[in-house]
Amino acid sequence: MKTEPVDQDLLKQIDLDRLPKHIAIIMDGNGRWAKRRRLPRIAGHRAGIRAVRQAVEASARVGIPYLTLYAFSVENWKRPHTEVKLLMGLLRQYLKKEINELNRQNIRLEVIGRINELPKPVVDDLKNTLEETRKNTGMRLVLALNYGARAELVDAVQELLEKAKQNGAIKVDESMLSEHLYTRGFPDPDLLIRTSGELRLSNFLLWQVAYAELWVTETLWPDFTQKDLFQAIVDFQKRERRYGGLGLS
Ligand code: FPP
């Protein structure tokens, strides 16, 4: 993979002992990137893959344990059929091309969302990549596909109801609900990045980002670089996180 030169000064500013455990990214602005260049929207998505590679490589390089990318939402089915088809094709290409690179970087793939509703060839490629990277012990790369936070909460409640039906009444608390989300076992994101300047959560990880620090950049996703990711981490480390308390100082 072609790697961009890294801003060493910025990299040195990152405190490796206080890294976010989980970074989640809403990758937005592919369409606008293409429109500005009078290109078809799919050219923006294609360029977006380049940015995905940069974000993955940068996160793995500094030792981020979990990186979650919002790649396809439950709402994205409303887009024209041709765009959806092309996005699914790009995802399959990415998975096929990237397996070796993921293994080289010791990255394990994970997926969240209503995966079984995706087209069968996509599901097959995902299962294959999950299996091929299963033994990797480095960063977990989590792709949110056919994902919606409300759908996730509905699915969790449904599972809890099934459990109650089998075992009688159960008492639900926060950790029990968390254990029935697609993200069970993952730490909650502590840093949520959104590109292209929109100030919305767009039905992404609503439960899990309760205490996340938000970092929004005007940069459109295809222009997002390793430098942007490092800058987000540096800024995150300057924030005082209080979780509703009064803080330490
Ligand atoms: C948002 O841009 C982006 C998406 C809906 C899809 C993101 C997909 C990729 C980056 C490529 C495939 C991903 C992987 C992980 C292989 P938009 O189309 O909403 O942009 P706009 O708001 O400017 O129209």
Side-chain angles (χ1 to χ4, degrees):
M1 184 181 79
K2 203 166 135 262
T3 311
E4 65 196 59
V6 168
D7 186 327
Q8 292 297 335
D9 285 344
L10 196 53
L11 202 50
K12 275 190 217 134
Q13 287 176 46
I14 296 177
D15 177 350
L16 296 177
D17 293 327
R18 289 192 311 114
L19 288 172
K21 288 191 182 59
H22 186 167
I23 298 179
I25 309 185
I26 302 177
M27 311 180 286
D28 195 13
N30 294 352
R32 273 160 285 175
W33 183 93
K35 195 169 176 201
R36 282 183 196 171
R37 288 163 178 75
R38 296 174 195 274
L39 293 169
R41 290 179 58 81
I42 193 66
H45 296 313
R46 209 168 277 129
I49 300 252
R50 221 166 39 220
V52 166
R53 291 202 177 95
Q54 296 303 323
V56 170
E57 162 138 351
S59 304
R61 174 182 211 140
V62 289
I64 300 297
Y66 287 81
L67 173 69
T68 298
L69 302 177
Y70 202 5
F72 193 86
S73 75
V74 287
E75 287 86 12
N76 286 153
W77 296 110
K78 292 184 211 145
R79 296 188 176 206
H81 178 65
T82 46
E83 183 172 340
V84 170
K85 215 170 141 196
L86 283 162
L87 272 171
M88 294 296 151
L90 276 182
L91 172 64
R92 293 190 65 200
Q93 266 179 31
Y94 172 81
L95 293 172
K96 285 207 176 104
K97 267 197 177 163
E98 225 48 26
I99 282 195
N100 289 341
E101 193 56 35
L102 294 177
N103 283 331
R104 191 185 68 76
Q105 295 181 56
N106 195 23
I107 296 170
R108 179 174 176 179
L109 184 78
E110 303 269 5
V111 282
I112 55 171
R114 289 183 173 164
I115 302 305
N116 290 328
E117 292 173 4
L118 290 166
K120 169 116 178 20
V122 177
V123 176
D124 290 345
D125 286 349
L126 282 169
K127 283 188 179 155
N128 181 49
T129 316
L130 291 174
E131 182 53 33
E132 294 277 327
T133 62
R134 195 170 53 87
K135 297 208 177 89
N136 293 340
T137 54
M139 187 175 82
R140 305 276 183 107
L141 168 62
V142 186
L143 295 185
L145 291 163
N146 194 22
Y147 176 87
R150 287 184 171 188
E152 178 180 34
L153 286 163
V154 168
D155 289 351
V157 171
Q158 193 61 48
E159 266 188 37
L160 287 165
L161 286 173
E162 300 294 332
K163 227 177 222 174
K165 227 194 272 171
Q166 281 160 21
N167 308 339
I170 48 171
K171 193 174 175 318
V172 177
D173 58 18
E174 289 187 10
S175 73
M176 191 183 242
L177 189 68
S178 292
E179 279 158 27
H180 287 81
L181 298 173
Y182 309 143
T183 51
R184 69 199 68 152
F186 304 169
D188 286 340
D190 23 30
L191 172 58
L192 174 64
I193 296 175
R194 179 162 190 150
T195 58
S196 94
E198 308 290 351
L199 302 173
R200 285 192 287 275
L201 291 177
S202 299
N203 201 13
F204 188 45
L205 301 173
L206 297 182
W207 173 277
Q208 298 89 334
V209 298
Y211 295 105
E213 295 293 324
L214 308 184
W215 192 86
V216 177
T217 173
E218 291 292 328
T219 302
L220 303 176
W221 178 250
D223 292 328
F224 191 87
T225 61
Q226 300 210 15
K227 190 173 170 195
D228 294 306
L229 189 109
F230 295 146
Q231 188 64 57
I233 297 173
V234 168
D235 292 347
F236 165 85
Q237 292 184 331
K238 287 183 190 146
R239 306 240 187 122
E240 184 195 1
R241 306 188 71 207
R242 305 204 312 211
Y243 304 95
L246 295 179
L248 299 174
S249 48

